[in-house]
Amino acid sequence: MIKVPLENELEDLSLRQDLLQKEIAGSTNIANATMNGYFTGQQEVPMEKAIRIAEESGDNLFTSQLSYKFLGFIKSMDGKLANTTAAELDVFQRIESDERKEHKKRAERLIVENKIRELDIEELDEIEQYGMEFLDEIIVEMAIVFKIFDAVSLDIREAVKEKMPEWISKNYMKEG
């Protein structure tokens, strides 16, 4: 059974949702003493209980933090940038997009050239930098998506379930 420490994430969830520790324990059917152990960091949280907390809270940021902690997926932005508006996040997204585009033409050429010749370390670094700039842009875009879903109280897991049939029909994802 996978367990991870979640004391910081639980404290942040409690503050964001204006919930007491005992309210989270009650809504999830987790004993108060156990929940206290999770909040203080004396106990690590099993995945099944973390999922129960995420489902009960409907908190997109907490859900994203869990996917990062348990599975290593990208977590949403929970730093100072998370306190910006969607319009302000759009500005950051354009900045990241411009930085990525600075590398695009050369990186795409190198990716194709890599099919016919071995690239040197500097060329490989240029491709890697292009990928890293893409990640910066994706992180800001994810923050925008979370902000939008929070505005309409839509849980990211529900949104993904809803979109999955379309993504499968477009061959973005495989069924199953």
Side-chain angles (χ1 to χ4, degrees), residues 23-87:
E23 292 173 312
I24 297 171
S27 68
T28 58
N29 294 319
I30 298 172
N32 284 333
T34 301
M35 187 62 72
N36 185 58
Y38 297 161
F39 266 80
T40 62
Q42 294 172 344
Q43 293 181 33
E44 292 187 336
V45 183
M47 186 185 298
E48 69 201 34
K49 290 188 180 178
I51 291 170
R52 195 179 321 156
I53 295 167
E55 287 173 347
E56 285 298 317
S57 72
D59 189 278
N60 283 323
L61 179 54
F62 186 75
T63 298
S64 177
Q65 290 168 329
L66 294 185
S67 68
Y68 174 71
K69 286 275 199 159
F70 283 100
L71 304 171
F73 294 156
I74 296 174
K75 71 178 200 155
S76 67
M77 230 175 270
D78 54 2
K80 290 182 180 180
L81 201 57
N83 298 325
T84 59
T85 66

Side-chain angles (χ1 to χ4, degrees), residues 67-166:
S67 68
Y68 174 71
K69 286 275 199 159
F70 283 100
L71 304 171
F73 294 156
I74 296 174
K75 71 178 200 155
S76 67
M77 230 175 270
D78 54 2
K80 290 182 180 180
L81 201 57
N83 298 325
T84 59
T85 66
E88 291 167 331
L89 283 170
D90 257 351
V91 172
F92 282 103
Q93 191 279 332
R94 283 193 299 275
I95 292 167
E96 295 299 347
S97 179
D98 290 346
E99 289 176 1
R100 175 187 55 83
K101 288 174 184 172
E102 288 176 18
H103 297 272
K104 182 178 181 178
K105 190 173 184 178
R106 174 130 168 91
E108 286 179 333
R109 188 177 128 234
L110 290 171
I111 289 169
V112 171
E113 285 184 18
N114 192 36
K115 304 265 185 197
I116 58 172
R117 70 175 179 86
E118 192 169 324
L119 302 179
D120 65 33
I121 192 75
E122 288 177 11
E123 292 168 324
L124 292 171
D125 285 345
E126 179 66 26
I127 294 171
E128 182 179 319
Q129 186 61 38
Y130 177 61
M132 294 297 189
E133 294 297 340
F134 243 126
L135 278 178
D136 289 347
E137 188 175 355
I138 289 166
I139 287 295
V140 174
E141 288 177 347
M142 287 296 296
I144 293 168
V145 168
F146 277 81
K147 182 90 48 188
I148 292 167
F149 286 167
D150 283 342
V152 296
S153 300
L154 180 61
D155 185 283
I156 189 74
R157 292 167 297 136
E158 292 303 316
V160 168
K161 282 181 192 174
E162 187 176 318
K163 290 294 284 183
M164 192 58 70
E166 178 184 337

